[in-house]
Amino acid sequence: MKSVVCLAPSQLSELSEEHIIKLSAPFIQSLTHTDTLESMLSILARWLPSVIQADRASIALKNNSQELLLWAIAGNQAIPATTPVPIAGTMVGKTFTEKQILVCEDLSTSRLKDCQKLCDGGLGSCMDAPLLLQDNRCIGTLNVAHKQPGFYTKESAAMLYCLARWTALHIKLHYLINYGEIEGNWPENLEIRSPPDRLH
């Protein structure tokens, strides 16, 4: 059995009207009052487990051509916020480059660096979705993990993909307001804090 399952958006089941994404009033209020990308992503990460069951939620954005950076985390801290994660040899990197949803059903069987780190932190399964703009550029990943192996389904993946597209739109709107159009050199204009650790 493959440790990581790759799902193209076309493979995902259609979501019906029964699948509801709840936006609480405090969440909307917090989101509308935030003025920094970091605080906006932190709010989104904290809200994500209320929509898709997760013991950990995180948002990673492209840092440079070699790595992504974990900007926001809620829950389990197996990989801390502001940790640079290499694109090569990681599940978030694979999600980013292939622009598809990845599900690791059993983290203990994966050789990917970030999956091993999550497993060491007590998590059993995880799922990552690409943050895609309208022109299909990928700017990062939206990630969830659960203590239980085999927890996530195709329905969960479809929900995460919808949330990832919505999140990417909010990131773009924030960027446009503060910097103008997103160019090919994204994210050179973002104010990224000096990270304390690096995932090897």
Side-chain angles (χ1 to χ4, degrees):
M1 183 180 70
K2 293 175 64 177
S3 63
V4 175
V5 178
C6 185
L7 299 171
S10 59
Q11 294 178 272
L12 300 178
S13 57
E14 290 292 326
L15 295 177
S16 68
E17 292 182 0
E18 297 176 359
H19 299 96
I20 298 173
I21 297 176
K22 295 181 179 180
L23 303 177
S24 68
F27 167 73
I28 294 295
Q29 189 174 35
S30 297
L31 201 59
T32 54
H33 285 91
T34 184
D35 58 355
T36 68
L37 181 62
E38 186 176 12
S39 61
M40 182 193 76
L41 294 178
S42 178
I43 291 167
L44 289 170
R46 290 200 306 270
W47 166 73
L48 187 55
S50 70
V51 182
I52 298 177
Q53 279 190 274
D55 294 300
R56 172 188 169 93
S58 66
I59 300 171
L61 296 183
K62 178 185 175 184
N63 194 24
N64 53 51
S65 61
Q66 303 297 318
E67 62 188 21
L68 304 173
L69 186 70
L70 287 175
W71 274 66
I73 291 173
N76 183 289
Q77 298 290 311
I79 306 174
T82 72
T83 301
V85 180
I87 292 174
T90 62
M91 185 163 148
V92 290
K94 191 175 173 67
T95 299
F96 176 78
T97 54
E98 296 186 4
K99 302 178 182 179
Q100 295 187 337
I101 302 93
L102 296 186
V103 181
C104 183
E105 298 176 340
D106 187 349
L107 288 167
S108 68
T109 66
S110 177
R111 295 183 178 181
L112 296 171
K113 298 171 187 175
D114 50 346
C115 290
Q116 292 176 344
K117 202 82 170 176
L118 294 177
C119 181
D120 291 343
L123 296 165
S125 57
C126 70
M127 180 169 58
D128 302 340
L131 295 173
L132 296 173
L133 302 177
Q134 291 91 329
D135 60 5
N136 208 41
R137 270 185 292 176
C138 186
I139 58 174
T141 63
L142 187 64
N143 322 296
V144 292
H146 198 277
K147 291 178 181 177
Q148 180 182 323
F151 185 79
Y152 294 112
T153 63
K154 276 192 175 182
E155 186 177 285
S156 304
M159 188 77 80
L160 187 68
Y161 181 70
C162 289
L163 292 170
R165 295 303 298 255
W166 185 81
T167 300
L169 174 62
H170 274 269
I171 293 171
K172 180 178 181 179
L173 289 174
H174 176 90
Y175 191 90
L176 289 173
I177 291 170
N178 288 277
Y179 304 111
E181 183 58 53
I182 295 179
E183 302 294 344
N185 63 354
W186 162 280
E188 288 182 1
N189 291 332
L190 293 178
E191 295 179 3
I192 298 176
R193 295 177 302 174
S194 178
D197 196 9
R198 197 170 285 267
L199 183 64
H200 296 292

